[in-house]
Amino acid sequence: MTKEEEILQAHITSHRLKVTKERKAILNVFMSTERHVTAEELYREMKNRGSSIGLATIYRTLNLFCASGLAEQRHFGDGQARYELTYNVHHHDHLVCKQCNRIIEFENLEIERLQEKVARKHHFTIYSHKLELYGTCEACSKEKSKSKPKSKAKSKKQTTK
Amino acid sequence: MTKEEEILQAHITSHRLKVTKERKAILNVFMSTERHVTAEELYREMKNRGSSIGLATIYRTLNLFCASGLAEQRHFGDGQARYELTYNVHHHDHLVCKQCNRIIEFENLEIERLQEKVARKHHFTIYSHKLELYGTCEACSKEKSKSKPKSKAKSKKQTTK
DNA sequence: TCTCAATTTGATAATCGGTCTCATTTTTAG
DNA sequence: CTAAAAATGAGACCGATTATCAAATTGAGA
């Protein structure tokens, strides 16, 4: 049993929920796919692999992952929620290429510190934050004026810091 | 004619669009209301003032304001788009109180500089960014555990830096 | 000022993520 | 093994926003 399965298990039993084959299957695929998937993408991927789990269950289960602390939900401005595993992953923010939808993760402790400073100045208590830099990635700025992605782009390419 | 009306006028004529009484009326009310209104809120406010302009036109016109550079659209995580006048307004980011929905604006050039630094490191060209700090404002952290706002909160109180 | 093609409007249907409902199936404590 | 509780799949539903379309308005040119 992976550490992630254990965490899910712990959350499930402590909340009097139930371990089902669907939840295990979704966790498996979720861990094996790229980061920042949408519910739809995960649904299609599971279908491709022969699963017959419904979309509603995918949504429910991703929410469960978030509740258990395994994952986090993100919005990158295209109207769909994206999910990423956060267990054992350092906090980070994102660079989002609007050309190819590539997502680059970064962390910057200096920025985090300054955020805290701003909050203190306003007597504000931060419990989460969102920092996204939108623009054009290196690859896209080189191949100037290539074809633009569709709004529903399913670009899979991503880089990590 | 205000400077804002001139900007709108310029955008309209340069795009072969038309100046209508509806657009003028919406701009007037938009400028006189608090920042970060939703389309719904603006619609209701106009109705209160005797207007019979439809919701669709409010949406269309707010989009027009954004296209002309007068306004910007924001999302603070409650599923509705909010709009704020940006003409003659210094760039800023937001502290969002999840208790009372108050929005506090701040600017921090150091953070902006660090963002640019991050982008350079990844050979990324930023053309916009989003930085929001979510948490509890001073007032709300004092009156501990008061009634929570509804999801569709229409809280009007806001502070500016 | 008048005309008329182009634009805008209001009403409302449609769309799109995402959630809810409910009958049926699965899980699990005892 | 059993029964109560929880989870599932299918599809209805929801709320924010956009699209459609007939009717009204605008404005460039005569």
Side-chain angles (χ1 to χ4, degrees):
Chain A
M1 190 149 89
T2 67
K3 189 70 188 163
E4 287 83 358
E5 284 176 309
E6 277 175 37
I7 290 173
L8 183 59
Q9 179 98 252
H11 176 85
I12 282 178
T13 53
S14 74
H15 287 73
R16 296 197 188 74
L17 306 178
K18 290 172 180 180
V19 177
T20 65
K21 50 184 166 340
E22 287 85 358
R23 287 174 176 171
K24 286 193 226 164
I26 294 171
L27 179 56
N28 261 324
V29 178
F30 181 55
M31 289 200 300
S32 77
T33 45
E34 46 157 350
R35 300 165 64 68
H36 314 113
V37 272
T38 64
E40 274 282 339
E41 286 167 356
L42 189 54
Y43 173 63
R44 280 198 306 273
E45 177 59 26
M46 299 213 50
K47 246 189 174 162
N48 286 346
R49 300 195 192 182
S51 156
S52 60
I53 296 176
L55 181 55
T57 298
I58 303 285
Y59 274 107
R60 286 187 283 233
T61 305
L62 284 171
N63 288 340
L64 179 68
F65 292 170
C66 292
S68 73
L70 268 181
E72 266 178 30
Q73 195 186 54
R74 303 257 174 196
H75 288 269
F76 292 134
D78 62 350
Q80 296 164 84
R82 290 174 183 277
Y83 299 83
E84 62 174 310
L85 248 180
T86 49
Y87 172 71
N88 239 345
V89 173
H90 216 283
H91 168 77
H92 57 260
D93 294 303
H94 300 89
L95 290 155
V96 182
C97 176
K98 291 303 234 180
Q99 221 103 110
C100 68
N101 293 305
R102 184 172 315 194
I103 292 163
I104 302 169
E105 302 178 345
F106 71 90
E107 63 173 306
N108 188 302
L109 296 178
E110 258 187 288
I111 291 180
E112 310 268 317
R113 263 198 301 275
L114 287 167
Q115 288 176 3
E116 278 302 333
K117 194 171 150 190
V118 167
R120 266 198 306 280
K121 192 160 82 184
H122 292 276
H123 306 284
F124 194 94
T125 313
I126 300 177
Y127 60 68
S128 76
H129 77 261
K130 187 192 285 181
L131 172 57
E132 284 135 34
L133 310 179
Y134 297 94
T136 309
C137 72
E138 185 172 19
C140 287
S141 51
K142 279 178 181 166
E143 43 172 287
K144 358 202 167 196
S145 73
K146 267 286 189 63
S147 64
K148 285 166 202 148
K150 326 156 203 165
S151 61
K152 298 206 134 200
K154 281 114 194 177
S155 169
K156 301 268 166 177
K157 282 190 268 178
Q158 292 189 356
T159 321
T160 297
K161 59 179 151 59
Chain B
M1 189 149 91
T2 67
K3 190 68 187 162
E4 287 84 359
E5 284 175 310
E6 276 174 38
I7 291 173
L8 183 59
Q9 180 96 251
H11 177 86
I12 282 178
T13 53
S14 74
H15 287 74
R16 295 198 188 73
L17 305 179
K18 290 174 179 180
V19 176
T20 66
K21 51 184 164 346
E22 289 85 358
R23 285 173 177 172
K24 285 193 227 165
I26 295 170
L27 179 56
N28 262 324
V29 178
F30 181 55
M31 289 200 300
S32 76
T33 47
E34 46 158 348
R35 300 166 64 67
H36 314 114
V37 273
T38 64
E40 274 282 340
E41 285 167 355
L42 189 55
Y43 172 64
R44 280 198 305 273
E45 178 59 28
M46 300 214 48
K47 246 189 176 164
N48 287 346
R49 300 193 193 182
S51 156
S52 61
I53 295 176
L55 181 55
T57 299
I58 303 285
Y59 274 106
R60 286 187 284 234
T61 306
L62 284 170
N63 288 340
L64 180 68
F65 292 170
C66 292
S68 72
L70 268 181
E72 266 178 30
Q73 195 186 54
R74 302 258 173 195
H75 288 269
F76 292 134
D78 62 350
Q80 297 164 83
R82 291 174 183 276
Y83 298 84
E84 62 175 312
L85 247 180
T86 49
Y87 172 70
N88 239 345
V89 172
H90 214 284
H91 168 77
H92 57 261
D93 294 303
H94 300 90
L95 290 154
V96 181
C97 176
K98 291 304 234 180
Q99 221 104 106
C100 68
N101 293 304
R102 185 171 314 195
I103 292 162
I104 302 169
E105 302 179 344
F106 70 91
E107 63 173 306
N108 187 303
L109 296 177
E110 260 186 286
I111 291 179
E112 311 268 316
R113 262 198 302 275
L114 287 167
Q115 287 175 4
E116 278 303 334
K117 195 170 148 191
V118 167
R120 265 198 307 280
K121 193 161 82 184
H122 292 275
H123 307 285
F124 194 93
T125 313
I126 299 177
Y127 60 67
S128 76
H129 77 260
K130 185 194 289 182
L131 172 57
E132 284 136 33
L133 310 179
Y134 297 94
T136 309
C137 71
E138 185 172 19
C140 287
S141 50
K142 278 178 180 165
E143 43 174 288
K144 0 200 164 194
S145 72
K146 267 281 189 67
S147 64
K148 284 167 205 148
K150 325 155 206 167
S151 62
K152 299 207 128 201
K154 281 112 194 177
S155 170
K156 300 268 168 177
K157 283 189 267 178
Q158 291 191 355
T159 321
T160 298
K161 55 175 167 347

